[in-house]
């Protein structure tokens, strides 16, 4: 009897061990592929889009702290200073014009210049053209005015008709050059010079950044690719009306009276 019980316990233990599923590493995807007609299981590491979107960006903590977050992004991921946004905010308040900062609820380029100088970096604001921005070989902070709000972002690179930026509010995004010209505030850029610190490549473009394109850019490129959709609105409405009349045609060849229009509604 003891032998039978022991044998049963060993069998149960063996089954449980054989079917034990070990937890998979986070971010690892397992897939099967054919190799010499033999199925082989392989694995690769992937990053969620949400994580990719904010990679190498210090996200702003407050609505008014885009300036400090943009500056921290530049200092940390380009110059390797390893600062927190709170430390940068405190430095901006200490070396900047504190009364004006509180009154305007935000930081200025002058505040940034005073703080970066205090920690050992030469810096300055410059007027620039789009050609100047395209020729820069390092990131720069630029003010933009978007949707009625003034905002600071870090321009990473101008490439293939797009301006790629690290935005402390919405992450890694891009603008077409024409759209960026519209939102770029006073054509100003702010540069922090390394001054002995070896620049890091964290803000350089990666292959995955080519996928980070905003909706307005997608629509713009779609119209460039399919010019028949880039008609004046009145022509598009006429085309839509003709389509609707054709759809409403009766079997006797008569056309119904209803005239419709086509529109796009953002979900």
């Amino acid at each position: 009897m003891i032998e039978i019980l022991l044998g049963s316990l060993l069998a149960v233990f063996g089954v449980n061990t054989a079917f034990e599923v070990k937890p998979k590493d986070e971010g690892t995807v397992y897939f099967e592929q054919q190799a010499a007609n033999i199925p082989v299981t392989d694995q690769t590491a992937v990053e969620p889009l949400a994580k990719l979107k904010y990679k190498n960006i210090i996200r702003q903590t407050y609505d008014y702290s885009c300036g400090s977050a943009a500056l921290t992004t530049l200092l940390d991921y380009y110059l390797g200073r390893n600062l927190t946004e709170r430390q940068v905010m405190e430095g901006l308040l200490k070396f900047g014009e504190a009364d004006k900062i509180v009154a305007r609820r935000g930081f200025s380029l002058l505040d940034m210049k005073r703080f970066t100088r205090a920690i050992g970096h030469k810096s300055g604001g410059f007027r620039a053209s789009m050609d100047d921005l395209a020729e820069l070989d390092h990131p720069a902070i630029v003010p933009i005015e978007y949707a009625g709000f003034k905002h600071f972002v870090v321009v990473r690179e101008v490439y293939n008709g797009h301006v790629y930026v690290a935005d402390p509010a919405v992450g890694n995004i891009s603008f077409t050059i024409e759209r960026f010209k519209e939102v770029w505030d006073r054509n100003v850029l702010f540069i922090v010079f390394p001054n002995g610190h070896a620049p890091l490549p964290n803000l350089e473009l990666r292959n995955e950044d080519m996928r980070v394109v905003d909706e307005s850019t997608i629509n713009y490129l779609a119209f460039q690719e399919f010019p028949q959709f880039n008609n004046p609105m009145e022509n598009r409405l006429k085309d839509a009306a003709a389509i609707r009349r054709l759809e409403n045609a009766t079997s006797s060849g008569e056309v119904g009276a209803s005239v419709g229009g086509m529109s796009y509604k953002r979900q």
Side-chain angles (χ1 to χ4, degrees):
M1 179 65 71
I2 294 176
E3 290 82 358
I4 295 174
L5 179 60
L6 182 60
S8 300
L9 291 174
L10 289 174
V12 171
F13 175 77
V15 170
N16 289 338
T17 302
F19 288 95
E20 181 181 0
V21 178
K22 295 182 179 180
K24 295 180 173 58
D25 295 332
E26 184 179 357
T28 302
V29 174
Y30 295 84
F31 60 94
E32 188 175 281
Q33 59 183 353
Q34 295 290 329
N37 296 324
I38 300 175
V40 176
T41 301
D42 205 346
Q43 65 186 56
T44 186
V46 297
E47 284 185 316
L49 181 58
K51 185 176 180 180
L52 169 65
K53 195 169 181 65
Y54 289 97
K55 187 169 185 176
N56 296 341
I57 293 179
I58 301 297
R59 299 179 67 174
Q60 63 187 79
T61 306
Y62 306 99
D63 291 342
Y64 57 84
S65 68
C66 61
S68 57
L71 183 57
T72 310
T73 297
L74 190 65
L75 292 173
D76 284 8
Y77 293 114
Y78 175 59
L79 299 177
R81 295 304 303 257
N82 197 29
L83 299 169
T84 66
E85 187 194 9
R86 183 179 181 85
Q87 289 174 318
V88 172
M89 290 178 68
E90 290 174 350
L92 289 167
L93 285 167
K94 178 179 180 180
F95 296 102
E97 300 175 302
D99 293 340
K100 292 183 178 180
I101 292 172
V102 173
R104 76 170 86 95
R105 295 182 62 82
F107 302 105
S108 69
L109 294 179
L110 181 57
D111 300 323
M112 296 183 193
K113 181 176 182 178
R114 289 174 173 174
F115 171 65
T116 52
R117 183 173 57 191
I119 62 174
H121 293 280
K122 293 181 179 179
S123 61
F126 304 90
R127 294 270 186 178
S129 66
M130 200 66 233
D131 291 338
D132 296 327
L133 197 63
E135 291 175 1
L136 281 178
D137 57 358
H138 48 76
I141 296 175
V142 301
I144 64 173
E145 190 165 352
Y146 189 68
F149 295 94
K150 292 186 180 294
H151 191 48
F152 284 113
V153 298
V154 179
V155 171
R156 300 171 60 192
E157 192 170 330
V158 180
Y159 175 75
N160 197 22
H162 295 77
V163 181
Y164 288 85
V165 306
D167 188 320
V170 297
N172 287 300
I173 62 173
S174 75
F175 297 90
T176 62
I177 287 179
E178 292 303 317
R179 180 56 178 151
F180 186 79
K181 287 179 181 178
E182 295 174 1
V183 301
W184 190 5
D185 188 12
R186 295 168 295 166
N187 283 53
V188 172
L189 59 83
F190 182 76
I191 297 175
V192 181
F193 298 98
N195 195 27
H197 289 76
L200 302 176
N202 298 314
L203 294 177
E204 295 179 0
L205 289 188
R206 308 175 299 268
N207 288 333
E208 53 264 34
D209 290 314
M210 301 303 106
R211 297 176 294 177
V212 183
V213 181
D214 62 16
E215 182 181 335
S216 62
T217 300
I218 293 173
N219 291 339
Y220 174 81
L221 294 177
F223 288 146
Q224 294 291 91
E225 186 71 21
F226 304 103
Q228 62 268 32
F229 293 113
N230 199 15
N231 297 327
M233 179 60 73
E234 57 187 6
N235 290 339
R236 279 188 279 169
L237 292 176
K238 289 177 182 178
D239 293 341
I243 292 171
R244 182 61 61 84
R245 285 197 300 271
L246 186 60
E247 290 175 346
N248 291 338
T250 64
S251 58
S252 61
E254 297 176 352
V255 178
S258 108
V259 176
M262 297 175 66
S263 63
Y264 169 75
K265 181 180 180 181
R266 175 180 286 182
Q267 298 297 325

